[in-house]
Amino acid sequence: MNCESCKKLSCVVRSENYPKNCPMATSREVFEEARKIYEKDSETRRMAAEASIVEAVGYMQWPRLRDTIEFARRMGYKKLGLAFCIGLQKEAETAARILREWGFEVVSVMCKTGSFLKTEIGVPEEYTMYSKTGYLIGTVTCNPVAQALYLNKHRTELNIIVGLCVGHDAVFTKHSEAPVTTLIAKDRVLSHNPAAALYTYYWNSYWMKEKV
């Protein structure tokens, strides 16, 4: 069973009347293991708890940036990392200014920091300089590993993603020693609102079916 198609939502009301193929029936050991992690790992337990408190306090009142600020404050974080895309430098600058106004130390690092040629990591020449859609994209790669290592060096306590490319965000998260949260998910076409593709009939029915 995949949870997205469930209509009972037994987990929400903590009912035992869940479908036979529900993960809570077929993978009970997973949830027992998760419970043990919450019991043994005090940091994980506290992070989950503080996230729920932030949700309760600012529900339908705070934008995601304020949620991030409140979560960091409640966790006692002082030094925050900002891993951002060069295409969102202005947004990163504004976010950093606001975070500093709230009393945080902010260490930021751009995606092209420590860059090298895309071909050096195995990107074929034909996928450099210009996109297949006709836009200038250059020959220099982003370096999410360097972004993570740089913030690791500065011992940031929470790292915030601002518009890293799909895949680059995964690489950054993989190598970050501090917990990672996303402030802006990049979507060049939908003004960084990727959920819009799920709500729009034409995107859902036509564009998403196109094959490259």
Side-chain angles (χ1 to χ4, degrees), residues 31-189:
F31 306 106
E32 289 303 318
E33 182 180 353
R35 180 180 290 275
K36 291 177 181 177
I37 290 174
Y38 287 117
E39 291 173 352
K40 295 179 180 179
D41 188 335
S42 59
E43 182 183 16
T44 295
R45 184 172 63 252
R46 184 183 174 200
M47 288 174 70
E50 298 295 359
S52 292
I53 293 171
V54 169
E55 175 193 28
V57 175
Y59 201 82
M60 295 299 292
Q61 295 293 322
W62 293 342
R64 189 176 179 90
L65 178 57
R66 179 65 184 273
D67 283 345
T68 304
I69 289 169
E70 294 298 336
F71 174 73
R73 291 178 70 194
R74 294 192 65 87
M75 288 299 299
Y77 298 146
K78 303 296 183 183
K79 183 181 288 190
L80 307 181
L82 214 59
F84 69 94
C85 168
I86 188 172
L88 288 89
Q89 185 173 15
K90 289 184 178 180
E91 291 87 342
E93 184 178 14
T94 300
R97 175 180 57 76
I98 293 171
L99 291 170
R100 291 186 179 109
E101 287 175 355
W102 279 83
F104 297 103
E105 179 181 352
V106 179
V107 181
S108 68
V109 58
M110 189 185 292
C111 60
K112 299 295 184 181
T113 302
S115 60
F116 40 84
L117 294 177
K118 293 177 181 178
T119 52
E120 292 184 63
I121 60 168
V123 179
E125 189 77 36
E126 63 177 299
Y127 294 104
T128 67
M129 188 54 73
Y130 288 95
S131 71
K132 297 301 182 179
T133 52
Y135 294 92
L136 179 66
I137 57 175
T139 60
V140 175
T141 185
C142 296
N143 196 340
V145 172
Q147 287 180 288
L149 296 182
Y150 181 78
L151 296 180
N152 292 347
K153 176 183 177 180
H154 285 272
R155 299 186 180 279
T156 51
E157 297 166 287
L158 176 70
N159 289 333
I160 302 169
I161 288 177
V162 178
L164 296 186
C165 293
V166 172
H168 290 160
D169 54 0
V171 173
F172 173 81
T173 302
K174 179 178 181 179
H175 292 277
S176 172
E177 292 178 356
V180 179
T181 189
T182 297
L183 177 62
I184 301 176
K186 176 187 283 178
D187 193 316
R188 299 178 184 89
V189 174

